[in-house]
Structures are given as structure tokens and as C-alpha cells.
């Protein structure tokens, strides 16, 4: 495979040649937003929803969207077409641009627009069969987790705490109520019902949150977004996480304690089959 090509401010360049100035506010302040879109068989999956969330994130931090929907679609198709991997994930990032360091928004500055794609390797069969270990922690992030901001220090520290404990994800709670994973949404199965945290300022509205509602409807499973207390999470029959890059994965250990019988459960099996079917239909 020849070198990855990335999009930066209007041009496609080899990854190793892409440069941004050190005064970019993404570097200085984490002043920007991003998106991650999975691509199956050359086709972006749920792109419409990802572009709408990108629009919401930009609006929330007062950056004008550099492209309309058609512009983004063209850029993304062009980027995907320059790489031969059938399955990819596209990363897009927009920052407020380059300016002398001052916390307040600079005037008359062009946003920095970056996009790259990488090979998407679906989670290994062993992960689906054994499930993941997770840890729990207090959610120490800010109060605008609905914005897909590149300021991810809280998420980075939570994920590293998981890795240090030999786990794959950190499941977070605010005042004893489930929020989300460091880079995923969390799902609790109790008595056959699929429960998730309500999407509000404390939780990112993962694109798989809406998708899971559709998949549950297809599978005849009850689905509800509501406040889920920690005790209920710890008594779950099954736990799962979702994200663009991890699709749906079962969680089989929490802080070293098995979830249910310690094996991925029947609800997970139904949902992952429905998920994979949806990616093929798209
Ligand atoms: N993260 N919550 C957080 C904090 C996330 O970072 C992510 C995804 C999700 C799931 O959202 P979605 O279903 O749209 O992928 C929830 C991406 C994959 C990342 O940061 O790489």
C-alpha cells in the first residue's frame, strides 16, 4: 500500500508531508472538534448522522462549517477513493485556525480543516467471544460532553487508567449515575431490556445510540434511554459498548468481577448480527 494521503486545508498531501503551524488553536487550546466515520466496502456508514453531529459540534463552539453536506460528501468520497482498503475509518478535524495566542476567539481567521482515513480492522473474533474487561471511575470531565471536542484530556486519562489496570475501557459515573465510556457509549441489559444513558450535555450522542434503537426494534428488544444508577449497572445480565471503531462489543468483567455468567450474552449476539447486517445493507 502506498503512503496514506490526507486532506489539509484544500489539498491532498502524503501524511508525512502534512504540516500545521504551532500556533494552531487545536494545538494550543484544543479548540476544535472532530468526527470518526466508519466505512464498509468503500461506503461511509451513517454519514448523514455523522455530518449532522459535526454541524452541531461546530455550532456549539461557533466555528462556521467549512463545507455544506455535498462538499463534505465529495471530500470524503475522494479521500476514501485514494486508498485501497475496503473498510476504513475517516477522521475529520476542524480547529478555529492559526492565531497569536489569546484565549478569546481571533477575528478573521480561517479554520484549519483536516481529514484522514485509516484501515478499519473490525474487532477480533476473540474479543467478541470473550468480551472486554472494563474498570469504573468517576466521570471527571467537563459539562459539555455532547460536543465532540478534540479537548480529550479527561477521556485520555480515563482510558489510560483502564489500560494501566489491564482493561479495555473505563466506564464512567457522575454522582453514581452512568454516563459513558472514555471513547464509547455503554449499554446495560436487564431482564431482556437494553438500557442506555440519556443523551444530554453529559454524554456524547454516539451515532450508534440511534442505530441501537433501530436494531433493538428489528430484534424485538425493549430499548430505553434513562438514568442508570451504578448498582443497576453492576447487577446487569449483560453489558456492551458501542463506537464507530469498536461496533458493538460485549463487556464481561467490571473491576475484575464477571458480568452475569462472565460470557457474552444472547442480547449481544442478536445485536451484533443485526449490526453487521446493517453495515452490509447500507
Ligand atoms: N469515539 N462517547 C465518546 C466519549 C466517544 O469518544 C465515542 C466515539 C462515543 C461513540 O460514538 P459513535 O457511536 O458515534 O462512534 C461515545 C470515537 C470513535 C473516537 O474518539 O475515536
Amino acid at each position: 500500500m502506498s503512503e496514506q494521503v490526507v486532506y489539509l486545508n484544500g489539498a491532498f498531501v502524503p501524511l508525512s508531508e502534512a504540516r500545521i503551524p504551532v500556533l494552531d488553536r487545536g494545538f494550543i487550546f484544543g479548540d476544535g472538534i472532530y468526527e470518526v466515520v466508519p466505512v464498509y466496502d468503500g461506503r461511509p456508514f451513517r454519514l448523514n448522522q455523522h455530518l449532522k453531529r459535526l454541524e452541531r459540534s461546530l455550532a456549539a463552539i461557533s466555528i462556521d462549517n467549512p463545507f455544506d453536506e455535498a462538499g463534505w460528501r465529495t471530500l470524503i468520497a475522494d479521500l476514501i477513493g485514494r486508498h485501497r482498503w475496503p473498510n476504513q475509518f475517516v477522521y475529520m478535524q476542524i480547529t478555529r485556525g492559526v492565531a497569536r495566542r489569546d484565549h478569546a476567539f481571533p477575528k478573521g481567521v480561517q479554520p484549519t480543516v483536516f481529514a484522514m482515513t485509516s484501515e478499519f480492522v473490525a474487532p477480533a473474533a476473540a474479543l467478541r467471544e470473550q468480551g472486554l474487561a472494563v474498570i469504573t471511575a468517576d466521570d471527571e470531565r467537563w459539562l459539555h460532553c455532547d460536543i465532540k471536542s478534540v479537548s480529550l484530556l479527561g477521556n485520555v486519562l480515563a482510558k489510560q487508567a483502564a489500560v494501566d489496570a489491564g482493561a479495555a475501557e473505563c466506564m464512567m459515573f457522575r454522582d453514581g449515575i452512568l454516563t459513558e465510556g472514555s471513547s464509547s457509549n455503554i449499554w446495560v441489559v436487564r431482564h431482556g431490556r437494553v438500557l442506555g444513558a440519556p443523551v444530554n450535555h453529559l454524554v456524547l450522542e454516539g451515532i450508534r445510540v440511534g442505530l441501537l434503537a433501530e436494531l433493538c426494534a428489528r430484534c424485538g428488544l425493549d430499548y430505553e434511554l434513562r438514568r442508570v444508577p451504578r448498582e443497576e449497572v453492576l447487577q446487569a445480565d449483560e453489558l456492551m459498548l458501542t463506537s464507530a471503531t469498536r461496533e458493538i462489543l460485549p463487556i464481561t468483567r467490571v473491576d475484575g468481577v464477571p458480568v452475569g455468567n462472565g460470557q457474552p450474552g444472547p442480547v449481544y449476539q442478536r445485536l451484533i448480527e443485526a449490526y453487521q447486517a446493517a453495515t452490509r445493507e447500507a
Side-chain angles (χ1 to χ4, degrees), residues 34-36 50 53 141 148 152 155 180-185 204-209 242-245:
Y34 75 106
E35 265 301 324
V36 179
H50 282 281
R53 186 173 65 184
R141 300 171 304 158
K148 205 160 168 62
L152 286 172
N155 305 63
E180 60 186 334
S182 70
S183 62
S184 58
N185 292 109
L204 182 77
E205 183 170 1
I207 301 310
R208 270 128 290 276
V209 171
T242 56
S243 84
T245 47

Side-chain angles (χ1 to χ4, degrees), residues 137-263:
D138 285 337
D139 192 338
E140 295 177 344
R141 300 171 304 158
W142 71 330
L143 299 175
H144 285 293
C145 300
D146 51 324
I147 303 172
K148 205 160 168 62
S149 160
V150 295
S151 306
L152 286 172
L153 193 52
N155 305 63
V156 165
L157 295 179
K159 176 63 75 69
Q160 189 57 39
V163 170
D164 289 345
E169 181 56 296
C170 177
M171 197 160 66
M172 297 184 285
F173 297 84
R174 217 181 265 271
D175 301 323
I177 304 295
L178 175 68
T179 55
E180 60 186 334
S182 70
S183 62
S184 58
N185 292 109
I186 303 286
W187 301 94
V188 178
V189 180
R190 288 206 74 197
H191 313 304
R193 291 172 73 82
V194 177
L195 307 172
V199 283
N200 55 27
H201 62 295
L202 302 178
V203 175
L204 182 77
E205 183 170 1
I207 301 310
R208 270 128 290 276
V209 171
L211 178 58
L212 220 66
E214 291 172 35
L215 301 182
C216 284
R218 275 196 213 178
C219 295
L221 293 163
D222 282 339
Y223 166 100
E224 191 184 357
L225 299 186
R226 66 156 164 85
R227 286 160 58 91
V228 189
R230 185 184 165 92
E231 302 70 55
E232 216 175 333
V233 176
L234 298 182
Q235 289 161 13
D237 302 319
E238 296 180 42
L239 288 177
M240 304 176 284
L241 62 74
T242 56
S243 84
T245 47
R246 287 187 284 182
E247 303 177 324
I248 314 179
L249 283 175
I251 295 169
T252 47
R253 294 186 88 77
V254 176
D255 293 330
V257 177
V259 177
N261 65 5
Q263 300 295 317

